[in-house]
Amino acid sequence: MNGPPARPYVLLSCAASIDGYIDDASDQRLLLSNAEDLDRIDAVRASCDAILVGAETVRRDDPRLLVRSAVRRAERVARGLPASPAKVTLTARGDLDPTARFFTAGEPVRLVYCASTAVEKTRELLGRLATVVDAGEPVDPGWMLGDLAARGVRRLMVEGGGTVHAQFLTAGLADELHLVVAPFFVGDGRAPRFVGEGRFPWHPGRRARVAGVRQIGDVVLLRYALSERCREA
Ligand SMILES: NC(=O)c1ccc[n+]([C@@H]2O[C@H](COP(=O)([O-])OP(=O)(O)OC[C@H]3O[C@@H](n4cnc5c(N)ncnc54)[C@H](OP(=O)(O)O)[C@@H]3O)[C@@H](O)[C@H]2O)c1
């Protein structure tokens, strides 16, 4: 019999402009998806045990990271699950605002994977709002995934930003990528891109497998299989 997997199934989710930007350079959050696609993302969230974003996304976007649909929340509860998946972030500095919606919205478990040097300060800052895990120095995403598996997370959705996505991709820790392309350009070099420079396991000599393509209103969803664990759509 197989033992529990060493790490959760990892699904990366991202929306980008035609020219590969995931935001603009302004303080306002850039809306890339449309309503139908946001509902699809809600369904993906509802299918996961935990949702992870980087600390910069918590600071800049202030996401709630909850399942929005009452029907999906009720279905999860009927299956003995919490209404929304656990929320997870990682930080080296521990500079997180306890009034951010990551910490105040909903009732789910909240985990903060924190570099050792900032653990004490972060625990003081967040109090009972989240479990602050001493994740070493620097935080190793592979170790973090092992810890999440030990906490019962079998399916993890990673919703960005680029720094976090790049780490999972370059470390070969991603099973599936959902990339939504919005029908416009940002065209501003100051804006963040999907990922920056790095040594990615997929390159001209090793092409990723397309697991599905779907038009959703005015956006396109590209699904890439990044490991053998990803089944065909
Ligand atoms: N279009 C989309 O789908 C989408 C989705 C999400 C976000 N975004 C955009 O992405 C941008 C933010 O992306 P980003 O790349 O700047 O930031 P990010 O990936 O959200 O977060 C980066 C931060 O996470 C922490 N971190 C990452 N890896 C770590 C590690 N190994 N150890 C310890 N801490 C680690 C650090 O936090 P500390 O600084 O606290 O140490 C780091 O500064 C925003 O503009 C947001 O709007 C777009």
Side-chain angles (χ1 to χ4, degrees):
M1 204 171 93
N2 293 332
R7 68 164 176 83
Y9 186 89
V10 176
L11 186 159
L12 308 188
S13 174
C14 180
S17 61
I18 293 174
D19 50 348
Y21 291 99
I22 60 169
D23 196 0
D24 60 20
S26 76
D27 288 340
Q28 306 298 315
R29 185 177 184 173
L30 177 68
L31 186 64
L32 289 141
S33 296
N34 56 34
E36 196 184 340
D37 185 53
L38 289 172
D39 187 58
R40 174 197 63 82
I41 292 170
D42 195 58
V44 178
R45 279 185 182 172
S47 74
C48 289
D49 302 305
I51 306 169
L52 182 147
V53 294
E56 190 61 24
T57 294
V58 173
R59 287 188 288 261
R60 285 184 60 117
D61 292 358
D62 195 19
R64 289 158 50 89
L65 300 179
L66 299 174
V67 173
R68 294 181 192 195
S69 151
V71 172
R72 292 186 187 117
R73 287 200 304 271
E75 280 170 1
R76 284 180 57 95
V77 171
R79 284 161 50 213
L81 300 171
S84 285
K87 303 186 202 182
V88 183
T89 190
L90 73 170
T91 178
R93 294 186 284 142
D95 184 12
L96 290 162
D97 180 353
T99 67
R101 290 190 282 193
F102 181 96
F103 299 108
T104 57
E107 301 298 325
V109 168
R110 302 180 190 96
L111 296 167
V112 176
Y113 285 86
C114 184
S116 299
T117 43
V119 165
E120 207 177 308
K121 166 187 128 179
T122 310
R123 284 193 180 136
E124 266 172 41
L125 190 68
L126 298 176
R128 298 164 65 93
L129 291 171
T131 300
V132 178
V133 181
D134 184 341
E137 192 85 47
V139 177
D140 172 4
W143 181 89
M144 179 181 67
L145 288 180
D147 190 77
L148 285 169
R151 292 172 191 270
V153 174
R154 286 164 303 159
R155 189 173 157 88
L156 173 71
M157 182 177 187
V158 180
E159 292 205 42
T163 308
V164 165
H165 277 147
Q167 287 179 62
F168 280 91
L169 289 165
T170 54
L173 293 172
D175 297 297
E176 183 174 347
L177 168 64
H178 292 184
L179 179 63
V180 163
V181 181
F184 57 81
F185 294 79
V186 170
D188 184 343
R190 296 168 303 165
R193 285 186 179 274
F194 167 39
V195 287
E197 293 175 16
R199 288 173 65 87
F200 295 91
W202 303 275
H203 45 72
R206 182 170 179 249
R207 296 156 77 105
R209 182 164 63 85
V210 178
V213 179
R214 197 170 123 209
Q215 181 172 352
I216 303 171
D218 66 352
V219 304
V220 177
L221 166 66
L222 305 169
R223 282 185 59 230
Y224 290 98
L226 302 181
S227 85
E228 293 308 317
R229 289 171 85 181
C230 179
R231 288 188 294 273
E232 284 285 351

